[in-house]
Amino acid sequence: MLALIMGFAMACSGTEADVRARVDAELKDAPIACLMSTLQAMTPTEKSAFMKVGLITEDKKVTEKGQKYFKRGLFCYGDLSVEKINSMTDRSEPSVGMKATEVKFTAKLVNVADWATDPEIEKAFSGIKRQIVDLSKPHERRKLLVEGKTK
C-alpha cells in the first residue's frame, strides 16, 4: 500500500539519520494506526469493548491507561516506524518560497497495544485484525517534508 502523507517539518536538509528521525517523529504523532471511533459517536458495542480493556469509564471518560493511547480524539493501537529510507528527492518550489523534500521510505507497525487483540475489540472493530497484519508488514510510504520560506 502506497500512501501520501503531507506533513510539515522545521527543516528538510540534513543527513539520512536526521530525516529518518523527523519522519519517525511525525508518524508517531499521526493517527494512522487508530480506531475510527470518537468518544461522542461510539456505538454501544465499541463503548463496551473500550470499557472492558480499560480505556474508558462508563461515562466515556478516558482512563489513565487510555490516555497513553488517546491521540487526536482516537484510540491508537500502535505506531508506524521507519525501517529504511529508500530515497530523498528535492521538490522545492522557489517561486513560492518553499523548500520541500519528498521522502520515500519503508515502514511497519511497532508497539502494538495488548488491548488491540482483545476479542471484544476485534468484535467491535472487525477490520482491526487485518489492519494490524497489513501494517506490520514492511510497506512503502511517502512523506513530503516542507520548510519555511527560502527567501
Side-chain angles (χ1 to χ4, degrees):
M1 169 174 80
L2 185 62
L4 177 61
I5 308 164
M6 299 296 287
F8 296 93
M10 293 190 58
C12 297
S13 57
T15 66
E16 183 175 315
D18 293 338
V19 170
R20 179 183 178 143
R22 205 168 298 124
V23 172
D24 257 335
E26 289 190 23
L27 288 175
K28 189 168 181 73
D29 286 340
I32 297 170
C34 301
L35 298 174
M36 296 298 140
S37 176
T38 65
L39 292 175
Q40 299 80 15
M42 68 178 57
T43 68
T45 303
E46 293 167 349
K47 178 183 174 187
S48 176
F50 284 141
M51 286 176 54
K52 180 186 180 287
V53 297
L55 300 182
I56 64 169
T57 62
E58 176 69 36
D59 59 350
K60 295 184 183 179
K61 301 286 186 213
V62 179
T63 64
E64 187 174 324
K65 176 183 177 181
Q67 288 296 331
K68 178 179 177 183
Y69 305 102
F70 199 62
K71 201 184 303 188
R72 296 188 184 176
L74 302 171
F75 285 106
C76 299
Y77 53 83
D79 301 308
L80 284 187
S81 181
V82 176
E83 281 203 323
K84 176 183 165 192
I85 299 291
N86 300 322
S87 68
M88 295 184 295
T89 306
D90 182 23
R91 297 285 185 221
S92 298
E93 290 292 334
S95 62
V96 295
M98 299 298 280
K99 183 175 180 182
T101 303
E102 178 185 36
V103 182
K104 291 183 181 178
F105 59 97
T106 302
K108 74 175 190 176
L109 184 66
V110 296
N111 304 323
V112 177
D114 59 346
W115 57 263
T117 56
D118 184 277
E120 290 297 312
I121 291 291
E122 290 178 350
K123 179 181 168 188
F125 300 93
S126 61
I128 190 171
K129 196 173 195 175
R130 170 61 45 206
Q131 289 171 342
I132 291 171
V133 168
D134 289 347
L135 289 174
S136 294
K137 296 175 188 171
H139 58 282
E140 189 173 326
R141 299 181 81 87
R142 293 186 294 176
K143 185 155 193 64
L144 187 64
L145 300 177
V146 180
E147 73 176 273
K149 298 190 179 228
T150 58
K151 295 181 182 181

